[in-house]
Amino acid sequence: MGLRFTVLSSGSTGNATVVSTDSANVLVDVGLSGKKIEELMKEREIYGKDLDAILVTHEHSDHIKGLGAFARRHKLPIYANEKTWGAMLRTIGEIPDEQRKILPSDSVMEIADLRIESYAISHDAIEPVGYCFLSDGAKLSLATDLGYVSDKVMSQLQNSDVMVLESNHDVNMLRMGRYPWNIKRRILGDTGHLSNEAAGDALCSLLTGSLRRVYLAHLSQEHNLMELAKLTVNTVLEDNGCFFQKDEFVLCDTYYDRPTMWDVIK
């Protein structure tokens, strides 16, 4: 079937994604309880025993809440950079040495027929990363928890066939919302989260060549709506002269409470 994935959950309440090939299955982040992750995986007919590894983007609780319990239960290796390991150890509990694996930022590893590229991003964590996955000529990129899309990140995301891209908030909803100003400033800053407009701006440069689907992800339940995010991104694209047919490019939904369908990247 080639490279495929399902976003199990996406948002401030918890994040997790499964990426698979014919020979490898990896879980990216475990931001919900181990029990909930099991339930969501079961909906897509994949189980802990099927996984080869867990990859961690950063140490915030919405990405590692169930990591320790889930990894211990299934005896899975956990890959993260050294600083992230240092930041999350007290949160996830004791992990056997044989399950602790270091994957430096901006490095590459392979699990069977799956190539995994780690790349550094801007976020208010100790050393956050995104991941790109390549197999059989197809490329999937995961890019969330971004304060902004740097030239280096933009270069990393080029030539993706499918992308999971942060579209966290509507700027006006956030500014008018109930959060205190220091939190709003954090979200809006260069180490915060991408707005709908910023996601659209990034796609203006990325919507070339092979890119066919973008899953808008990590939406705020307080300060965004999926239809608003899609409308805003589409408007930014059109305002910048990016027009496309529905059979050429599609914006797709993610959910905080249920997994997306398997997407097979051909």
Side-chain angles (χ1 to χ4, degrees), residues 22-224:
D22 293 339
S23 303
N25 299 292
V26 299
L27 177 62
V28 184
D29 291 333
V30 191
L32 301 104
S33 71
K35 179 181 179 182
K36 185 62 177 178
I37 292 291
E38 302 267 9
E39 292 172 357
L40 294 171
M41 288 176 58
K42 185 177 180 181
E43 289 188 42
R44 293 295 167 260
E45 298 183 337
I46 189 165
Y47 304 90
K49 64 180 178 60
D50 301 320
L51 296 175
D52 297 292
I54 300 171
L55 306 175
V56 179
T57 59
H58 63 289
E59 74 276 10
H60 290 169
S61 62
D62 59 326
H63 293 261
I64 65 165
K65 179 179 180 180
L67 175 61
F70 188 88
R72 284 187 291 271
R73 178 175 182 182
H74 297 289
K75 298 180 173 58
L76 290 167
I78 302 171
Y79 288 86
N81 60 52
E82 196 164 0
K83 287 186 178 179
T84 297
W85 267 114
M88 70 182 181
L89 267 180
R90 283 181 291 182
T91 302
I92 66 174
E94 190 65 32
I95 300 294
D97 288 345
E98 63 270 20
Q99 290 178 242
R100 293 177 55 178
K101 307 294 183 180
I102 302 295
L103 178 61
S105 301
D106 300 310
S107 65
V108 177
M109 65 176 287
E110 292 184 354
I111 298 177
D113 58 347
L114 180 63
R115 176 184 171 94
I116 301 165
E117 298 178 351
S118 164
Y119 63 94
I121 60 174
S122 176
H123 191 53
D124 58 352
I126 190 71
E127 192 176 324
V129 297
Y131 292 104
C132 294
F133 301 89
L134 300 94
S135 183
D136 196 26
K139 180 177 180 179
L140 164 69
S141 295
L142 304 186
T144 67
D145 298 79
L146 296 160
Y148 72 103
V149 181
S150 67
D151 291 343
K152 184 176 180 181
V153 170
M154 191 71 73
S155 176
Q156 182 71 47
L157 299 179
Q158 292 290 342
N159 302 314
S160 299
D161 296 289
V162 179
M163 189 181 306
V164 179
L165 178 66
E166 180 169 52
S167 191
N168 176 257
H169 59 275
D170 174 81
V171 172
N172 289 329
M173 286 180 69
L174 176 60
R175 285 178 173 160
M176 296 296 291
R178 62 180 179 85
Y179 284 6
W181 175 243
N182 65 313
I183 301 297
K184 294 178 182 180
R185 185 169 54 191
R186 169 194 167 256
I187 294 170
L188 291 165
D190 284 349
T191 57
H193 292 278
L194 280 192
S195 68
N196 298 336
E197 292 87 349
D201 288 339
L203 284 178
C204 289
S205 299
L206 294 167
L207 191 56
T208 57
S210 60
L211 187 60
R212 291 294 177 262
R213 293 180 296 284
V214 170
Y215 287 75
L216 298 182
H218 215 301
L219 270 69
S220 167
Q221 290 177 248
E222 293 266 352
H223 305 118
N224 212 352

Side-chain angles (χ1 to χ4, degrees), residues 224-241:
N224 212 352
L225 299 165
M226 180 57 72
E227 289 309 312
L228 176 60
K230 292 164 76 172
L231 175 63
T232 303
V233 170
N234 271 319
T235 298
V236 172
L237 291 173
E238 291 174 3
D239 288 348
N240 284 273

